[in-house]
Amino acid sequence: MNLQRISIVSFGLARVAVGVFAGSAPERLGRTWIGDDAAGEPTKVILRALGARDIALGAGTAAAATRDQAGPWLAVSVLADLGDVAATLLARENLPDRGVVTTSVVAGSAALAGLALLAVDSGPSEDEWS
């Protein structure tokens, strides 16, 4: 497997890890993002659902990368991350400042990483450079 594929698989597996964390510790993740409201059961439901989303996106990305078909998965991952940033910024007046900054930076960085990997995935392969 070439470096491009390894990078994309790693990106996907990191997303799976985030999803597992969100699903197994929604209140802990939620307190950082939305503050004290994270303790409520309805909020935990949504955070667990986001965790499941990330597990699915990450697993799909990693699996597709092994077949050189990760582009669509990366694109959807970028959209999901940008959606997290947008939702956070839209609610920023009702969220802790720390949560707005942390979530915007983390999700924004994930979107940028996904875009970079998408560009690499769409470009010539390492074999074509030789």
Side-chain angles (χ1 to χ4, degrees):
M1 190 179 312
N2 66 33
L3 185 57
Q4 292 172 344
R5 300 295 134 229
I6 292 169
S7 297
I8 295 169
V9 168
S10 297
F11 178 80
L13 293 178
R15 183 169 213 110
V16 168
V18 169
V20 168
F21 176 67
S24 62
E27 186 174 346
R28 190 166 170 202
L29 173 72
R31 283 202 186 278
T32 301
W33 189 358
I34 60 173
D36 291 337
D37 289 339
E41 286 304 313
T43 303
K44 290 179 189 177
V45 168
I46 292 170
L47 291 170
R48 285 186 185 110
L50 285 173
R53 173 200 77 178
D54 281 340
I55 291 169
L57 287 173
T61 299
T66 65
R67 298 183 310 276
D68 291 336
Q69 299 172 345
W73 287 94
L74 288 167
V76 172
S77 293
V78 167
L79 289 174
D81 292 328
L82 291 175
D84 292 346
V85 172
T88 299
L89 294 176
L90 286 169
R92 70 184 171 277
E93 298 297 324
N94 299 305
L95 298 175
D97 291 341
R98 177 176 172 238
V100 173
V101 171
T102 301
T103 301
S104 297
V105 168
V106 171
S109 295
L112 288 174
L115 283 171
L117 289 170
L118 185 56
V120 168
D121 188 60
S122 301
S125 69
E126 288 179 357
D127 297 335
E128 295 177 61
W129 287 98
S130 329

